[in-house]
Amino acid sequence: MSTESFSLNRSNVPDASEMRFGVIVTEWNNDITDKLLEGTLRILKENGAGEHAITIMRVPGSFELIYGCAEMARHGLVDAIIALGCVIRGDTPHFDYICSGVTQELAQQNTNGKIPVINGVLTVNTHEQAEERAGGKLGNKGEEYALTAIMMVDFAWALQK
Ligand code: DLZ
């Protein structure tokens, strides 16, 4: 199944009114990441998250999401972090290094850290593919990242009961 035909079930989303979220957004490709942010905020708020419960911070590029997420988690003020970035393939191997570095490091943070870190980094071949996924014909992936964050906080809290 293509990932493009997959979507999360939106009918039974946990209440997010007591949840606190960190959203870290890259300046690189900010025409795309700002749209991902819009989608993320829309869904967090639609499901009850208050304005005051969402901390938004910016970092230069996707590589800096690693440090940003680790530091935000260390401060312990949020229940989940959503990392929003967009890496577009260029003419050099830089794309591969950034993508694998960010993916591995965010995975490590999920394994070793105390809160879920949602990988909201689009990795695409062209700017057009990014636009399609940031409010274009394939929807806004920021919405999926928000739903995922809510579901993972609910998961974590269910284990604490
Ligand atoms: C350097 C770079 C390049 C070429 N492309 C992107 C990109 O498409 N998306 C992105 O988020 N960041 C890019 N960067 C910047 C790196 O993520 C990082 O900011 C620098 O390598 C400095 O650590």
Side-chain angles (χ1 to χ4, degrees):
M1 184 173 73
S2 151
T3 52
E4 311 308 354
S5 62
F6 173 79
S7 64
L8 290 170
N9 180 356
R10 298 180 184 219
S11 61
N12 200 15
V13 181
D15 173 29
S17 59
E18 299 295 318
M19 300 178 182
R20 301 162 306 165
F21 298 94
V23 187
I24 308 187
V25 195
T26 64
E27 294 291 356
W28 261 86
N29 298 316
N30 68 349
D31 58 323
I32 300 295
T33 58
D34 283 348
K35 288 185 188 146
L36 294 177
L37 177 62
E38 276 171 32
T40 296
L41 294 178
R42 181 164 54 248
I43 292 298
L44 292 180
K45 288 176 185 171
E46 263 178 35
N47 288 285
E51 190 92 38
H52 61 282
I54 305 171
T55 304
I56 303 168
M57 294 192 75
R58 305 228 174 220
V59 293
S62 291
F63 195 73
E64 286 69 44
L65 289 169
I66 300 167
Y67 178 84
C69 291
E71 282 301 292
M72 190 179 270
R74 195 170 65 79
H75 282 271
L77 298 175
V78 295
D79 301 305
I81 300 172
I82 303 166
L84 297 179
C86 172
V87 194
I88 302 176
R89 188 182 288 281
D91 295 334
T92 69
H94 196 79
F95 173 89
D96 301 295
Y97 292 119
I98 295 288
C99 292
S100 74
V102 173
T103 305
Q104 283 175 29
E105 290 297 327
L106 295 187
Q108 282 288 324
Q109 291 185 29
N110 277 284
T111 309
N112 300 333
K114 291 193 172 65
I115 59 169
V117 177
I118 309 306
N119 180 353
V121 181
L122 289 180
T123 56
V124 292
N125 291 324
T126 64
H127 192 268
E128 187 185 358
Q129 287 177 341
E131 285 177 328
E132 287 171 356
R133 291 159 178 78
K137 70 178 184 193
L138 296 175
N140 187 327
K141 295 286 174 189
E143 298 184 353
E144 282 182 23
Y145 306 143
L147 286 172
T148 305
I150 294 169
M151 290 166 72
M152 290 310 295
V153 174
D154 187 61
F155 179 95
W157 287 1
L159 293 174
Q160 289 165 15
K161 282 178 189 155

